[in-house]
Amino acid sequence: MMKFSELEDYMASIGVFALAEIARKLNTTPQAVSNWKSRDQVPNHIALKISNTANLNDLIERQKDTPPLLVETYSMSITDVIINISRQLKLIFLILFISNFCTFIHVYFIKQPIYDSWATVLLPEKKASGLGGLAGFATQLGVEVPSGVKGDLSSPYLFPELLKSRTFSEKLLIQEFHTEKYNRKLPLLAILNNGITPTDQSRNMVITSILGKLEQMIDLKQDVRTSFSIIKVKTFEPKFSKEMAEVVVSELENLNKFFKSRTISEKTIFIKNRISSVEGDLKISEQRLKAFKEQNRQANAPALELELERLVTEVEIHKGIFLTLKQQLELAKIEEIQESSIVQILDRPQLPLGPSNKNIKISLVVSTLFGLVFGVFLALIRSFIQTDDLNERRKMRKIKFLFKKKLKELLSDQR
């Protein structure tokens, strides 16, 4: 006994879908077909008729596989495409209008504005000395000044990593700014936390959660051809961007001075301790040499001469170390009194004139191109669906049926 679902599959394969069309194809009434569907059974004489027809169709399909003497091909020319597009001009202009209208609404009323404020700074090169003209003066006095920049936290080429550090972020988050959004002065930590000031217990957790947001707001770009760098700050208000950019530059300078002074201070303390120790050793070696000369005024014996040379060499070594440490101490003092920043600001942050992420001209051009392409695509599909050719319409119905059927099979497949 054939089921009605099998009958539907067979009829769909030949382009027949509606119950009325199935009844017409089988020379019966729609009421009879409806009864078959409700019982999900097909009478035996109908099943036999369909079986004979299916075998005949298989024979016809096999004959079609043989190479024909003359094959009629269907091709669509450019003129046909233009005609189909011309018939659907209303649809194309409607989609174009909707695309531009939605883009305009999104850019002006929905999209969050972002304002950029930046400062152009000049950072010294890696090989440059941080002492400037004092280096030459110190060299004339016999103090040798190192010309390379050491790899410590005060080095200017570490500024990009310094901007991403938690130390710099914590110093920046305690700074207060006035914003129109909250209409009062709040720390940057509270502004980035939706206006809520965290408690002491949750402070570290909140800072950790907003570090990524703060990193996206601050950017430093270095020009490989020159020593100029641009420190850019992006926020949701123009005045807020300008004030925050000024604070970022100021905090960078302060943090650089802090690391520099700490390095110099540690260096000075170490040199002073070494000077004190070496000075004691030098005095001891000088006293030994003095006592040896007083006891042996005429050192003619080889052993006495060798001991004298050893004592003189020891005194000279300690004296050389002492002079070197004295030179390094003077150099550290020169660095310590140099309070000027190594960062030179060429252009200070300015008030942004408008948002940087809202370019209506470019947005409309992109939306126009997208609307045209999408409109032409839909126009071709619609003209193909609304064709007067019965064969093409049957193919479209078959496509819809197979698409729904395969989609149901895909959703019901547990694998």
Side-chain angles (χ1 to χ4, degrees):
M1 182 70 68
M2 177 182 287
K3 294 184 178 181
F4 186 79
S5 58
E6 297 176 354
L7 175 62
E8 280 187 326
D9 293 342
Y10 172 74
M11 289 298 175
S13 64
I14 61 175
V16 178
F17 301 93
L19 296 181
E21 292 182 354
I22 295 176
R24 193 180 306 113
K25 191 74 175 177
L26 297 177
N27 295 324
T28 185
T29 62
Q31 290 80 5
V33 176
S34 179
N35 293 333
W36 300 346
K37 183 177 181 180
S38 61
R39 294 195 305 268
D40 195 19
Q41 290 181 354
V42 179
N44 291 331
H45 67 280
I46 298 296
L48 182 61
K49 180 179 179 181
I50 292 174
S51 177
N52 295 333
T53 306
N55 294 333
L56 181 60
N57 290 337
D58 291 340
L59 179 60
I60 295 174
E61 291 295 331
R62 287 195 297 268
Q63 291 177 354
K64 287 182 178 179
D65 293 336
T66 59
L69 298 177
L70 180 62
V71 179
E72 182 181 357
T73 59
Y74 174 77
S75 63
M76 180 179 289
S77 64
I78 298 178
T79 307
D80 297 331
V81 174
I82 296 176
I83 292 174
N84 291 329
I85 292 176
S86 302
R87 292 174 179 172
Q88 305 294 333
L89 280 180
K90 289 184 179 180
L91 176 64
I92 295 175
F93 282 114
L94 179 62
I95 293 175
L96 188 61
F97 172 77
I98 294 175
S99 176
N100 288 335
F101 180 75
C102 293
T103 301
F104 180 83
I105 295 298
H106 174 73
V107 170
Y108 271 96
F109 300 103
I110 300 177
K111 195 173 186 180
Q112 178 74 24
I114 297 177
Y115 298 89
D116 296 352
S117 183
W118 62 88
T120 305
V121 298
L122 178 64
L123 300 179
E125 297 179 358
K126 295 183 181 181
K127 296 182 179 180
S129 174
L131 299 176
L134 293 177
F137 177 73
T139 304
Q140 293 178 1
L141 296 178
V143 180
E144 187 175 351
V145 182
S147 58
V149 178
K150 297 181 180 180
D152 54 17
L153 292 176
S154 62
S155 302
Y157 57 88
L158 294 180
F159 273 17
E161 299 300 325
L162 195 62
L163 281 172
K164 302 176 183 178
S165 65
R166 188 183 179 93
T167 302
F168 175 77
S169 300
E170 290 180 351
K171 289 182 175 294
L172 196 62
L173 289 173
I174 62 176
Q175 300 295 327
E176 294 185 348
F177 302 93
H178 184 276
T179 58
E180 297 179 1
K181 181 178 180 180
Y182 301 105
N183 198 22
R184 66 180 188 272
K185 205 169 187 179
L186 290 173
L188 182 60
L189 177 61
I191 294 175
L192 297 181
N193 195 33
N194 299 322
I196 303 173
T197 303
T199 60
D200 295 337
Q201 292 80 6
S202 62
R203 181 181 177 85
N204 290 332
M205 183 176 63
V206 173
I207 291 177
T208 303
S209 63
I210 65 175
L211 283 179
K213 187 186 298 184
L214 182 61
E215 185 177 341
Q216 293 177 357
M217 295 172 62
I218 305 173
D219 186 25
L220 188 145
K221 294 182 179 179
Q222 294 177 314
D223 192 347
V224 295
R225 297 171 297 178
T226 63
S227 298
F228 286 103
S229 301
I230 297 177
I231 300 176
K232 183 181 292 185
V233 175
K234 304 176 182 179
T235 68
F236 52 84
E237 290 182 9
K239 187 177 179 182
F240 181 30
S241 297
K242 178 180 178 296
E243 293 178 354
M244 186 172 171
E246 292 174 346
V247 172
V248 168
V249 175
S250 176
E251 287 299 325
L252 273 178
E253 292 179 335
N254 295 335
L255 197 59
N256 178 262
K257 290 179 181 179
F258 168 75
F259 287 129
K260 184 178 179 182
S261 62
R262 187 180 68 176
T263 303
I264 295 175
S265 178
E266 293 174 354
K267 180 179 173 182
T268 303
I269 294 174
F270 173 77
I271 292 175
K272 286 182 178 180
N273 293 334
R274 286 296 298 152
I275 286 177
S276 177
S277 176
V278 172
E279 187 176 8
D281 295 339
L282 178 61
K283 288 181 179 180
I284 293 173
S285 60
E286 288 177 345
Q287 290 295 332
R288 290 177 181 175
L289 179 61
K290 178 183 177 182
F292 180 83
K293 287 184 176 181
E294 289 177 351
Q295 295 175 3
N296 304 280
R297 295 184 178 275
Q298 294 181 354
N300 296 325
L304 295 177
E305 291 180 357
L306 183 62
E307 182 66 20
L308 178 62
E309 290 179 359
R310 187 183 65 80
L311 293 174
V312 171
T313 301
E314 185 178 355
V315 170
E316 290 179 351
I317 290 175
H318 286 97
K319 188 180 294 185
I321 296 174
F322 181 77
L323 292 176
T324 301
L325 291 174
K326 278 290 187 180
Q327 290 177 354
Q328 294 296 325
L329 181 62
E330 293 300 322
L331 177 61
K333 290 181 178 179
I334 293 174
E335 292 184 58
E336 192 173 4
I337 64 173
Q338 187 190 12
E339 298 180 355
S340 60
S341 175
I342 62 173
V343 180
Q344 303 179 49
I345 302 176
L346 178 63
D347 294 327
R348 291 198 169 272
Q350 301 295 324
L351 192 68
L353 299 178
S356 60
N357 63 333
K358 288 189 176 185
N359 193 329
I360 188 62
K361 293 182 179 179
I362 296 179
S363 299
L364 288 178
V365 169
V366 173
S367 66
T368 300
L369 293 176
F370 172 78
L372 284 175
V373 173
F374 189 64
V376 170
F377 176 73
L378 287 183
L380 292 176
I381 293 179
R382 188 181 181 189
S383 64
F384 183 70
I385 293 175
Q386 295 179 347
T387 181
D388 296 331
D389 191 350
L390 295 178
N391 293 327
E392 296 296 331
R393 296 178 68 176
R394 287 180 179 176
K395 291 179 182 178
M396 288 301 301
R397 289 197 299 268
K398 185 176 181 180
I399 291 173
K400 292 179 182 179
F401 175 79
L402 292 177
F403 180 79
K404 292 179 181 179
K405 180 182 177 182
K406 296 300 179 181
L407 184 60
K408 290 180 180 178
E409 292 179 357
L410 179 64
L411 295 177
S412 62
D413 191 353
Q414 297 181 356
R415 293 176 298 178

